[in-house]
Amino acid sequence: MGEVKLLGTTQSFPCARIQWALRLKGVEYEFIEEDLRNKSPLLLKYNPVHKKVPVLVHHDKPIAESLVILEYIDETWKENPLLPRDPYDRAMARFWAKFVDEKVVIAVWGAFTAEGEEKEKAIESALEPLANLEQQIEGKKFFGGEQIGYLDVVVGWISQWLNVMEEVGGMKLLEAERFPFLHEWGQNFIQAPAIKECIPPREKLVEYFHFSLSYCRRSLAAHKP
Ligand SMILES: N[C@@H](CCC(=O)N[C@@H](CS)C(=O)NCC(=O)O)C(=O)O
């Protein structure tokens, strides 16, 4: 199916989504590690609009945005389908994927970076969309049913990244007592061979989130009136 390249960083969860999908489908690819503090001419050429990773390059044609790339992968390599076949189930998987990126990621990031009086409020705001996800996974092994599917790959970051964000950001969100089904799903997800191979080492993520947190707080402080 031609040459496949992925421009990404090991610590980025949108990039992990793409590596997981390619591995679940058995697609060979070359991973090109980007330095986001010094973006390569290749990244600027292939994603001139957002200048972000991941970018999948197939037959020299670039595709950006992880959710868009996942759909491209699923339509191009038919084995081990990621999206459900039923149109309604497909629509629901897309609805929840959008929810994850627009609500869960934003709220968790807010809780991670919040300080002082704002922290408790931000944590409460992050627990709400997580509770919506808990309802979705209750009674199922994976969001995709018996097999890992599109929504599992989209939510996958909470299995490792969230845990590190909790530690670095001094908060607790995904407690087993509060979210038993999501917690169990995370354990199952991370054990799958195609997934396990592409989970960044914990210490790399710790370093990455420490850097992100101080960077974010420095820029907030610089913009305070
Ligand atoms: N919505 C995008 C988000 C991609 C994204 O935020 N990538 C980050 C790394 S995790 C990035 O490239 N940041 C560089 C920058 O913002 O300049 C997706 O799902 O692909």
Side-chain angles (χ1 to χ4, degrees):
M1 280 306 258
E3 203 182 52
V4 181
K5 292 184 179 150
L6 175 62
L7 275 63
T9 68
T10 318
Q11 292 93 330
S12 146
F13 73 78
C15 298
R17 288 173 175 168
I18 310 308
Q19 299 215 68
W20 291 330
L22 291 170
R23 281 161 190 260
L24 285 166
K25 293 204 173 251
V27 177
E28 294 209 359
Y29 63 97
E30 180 191 349
F31 185 78
I32 303 174
E33 183 86 39
E34 270 295 321
D35 175 359
L36 294 178
R37 282 174 259 180
N38 181 22
K39 295 177 183 172
S40 73
L42 204 61
L43 176 61
L44 302 179
K45 171 183 157 195
Y46 281 141
N47 190 1
V49 177
H50 294 302
K51 305 175 180 69
K52 291 185 180 192
V53 291
V55 180
L56 186 81
V57 187
H58 186 207
H59 293 306
D60 213 27
K61 290 193 291 195
I63 308 137
E65 287 297 313
S66 62
L67 299 187
V68 178
I69 302 172
L70 289 179
E71 296 228 13
Y72 177 84
I73 291 174
D74 209 26
E75 287 172 15
T76 305
W77 293 278
K78 305 281 185 201
E79 51 276 27
N80 302 333
L82 294 173
L83 274 157
R85 285 176 70 91
D86 177 79
Y88 183 76
D89 293 343
R90 285 170 89 86
M92 286 302 99
R94 290 180 176 126
F95 171 88
W96 286 108
K98 202 165 179 307
F99 176 83
V100 168
D101 278 8
E102 290 176 0
K103 297 281 181 203
V104 185
V105 173
I106 307 286
V108 166
W109 186 261
F112 174 65
T113 53
E115 290 181 280
E117 299 167 359
E118 295 300 312
K119 191 88 176 172
E120 274 315 304
K121 244 188 343 201
I123 290 175
E124 280 305 312
S125 307
L127 291 173
E128 201 180 309
L130 284 170
N132 293 122
L133 282 186
E134 173 80 355
Q135 283 172 359
Q136 291 307 305
I137 193 64
E138 182 171 350
K140 294 193 231 162
K141 183 168 183 194
F142 294 114
F143 288 96
E146 276 309 297
Q147 307 294 335
I148 290 177
Y150 170 78
L151 191 53
D152 295 281
V153 164
V154 172
V155 183
W157 61 276
I158 72 173
S159 65
Q160 172 88 331
W161 282 254
L162 179 51
N163 184 268
V164 176
M165 288 173 89
E166 288 176 328
E167 180 189 314
V168 176
M171 58 183 183
K172 234 21 208 132
L173 293 175
L174 200 63
E175 288 174 294
E177 304 77 53
R178 191 191 283 265
F179 298 118
F181 301 108
L182 262 185
H183 199 263
E184 195 184 334
W185 163 85
Q187 309 288 313
N188 290 331
F189 180 78
I190 218 162
Q191 290 311 318
I195 306 301
K196 203 169 16 181
E197 289 164 4
C198 274
I199 298 279
R202 198 183 162 80
E203 60 280 7
K204 279 225 166 244
L205 283 183
V206 170
E207 192 184 303
Y208 169 74
F209 281 118
H210 272 298
F211 172 81
S212 305
L213 191 57
S214 54
Y215 180 82
C216 180
R217 286 185 178 158
R218 269 202 315 274
S219 31
L220 280 177
H223 289 99
K224 260 198 183 140

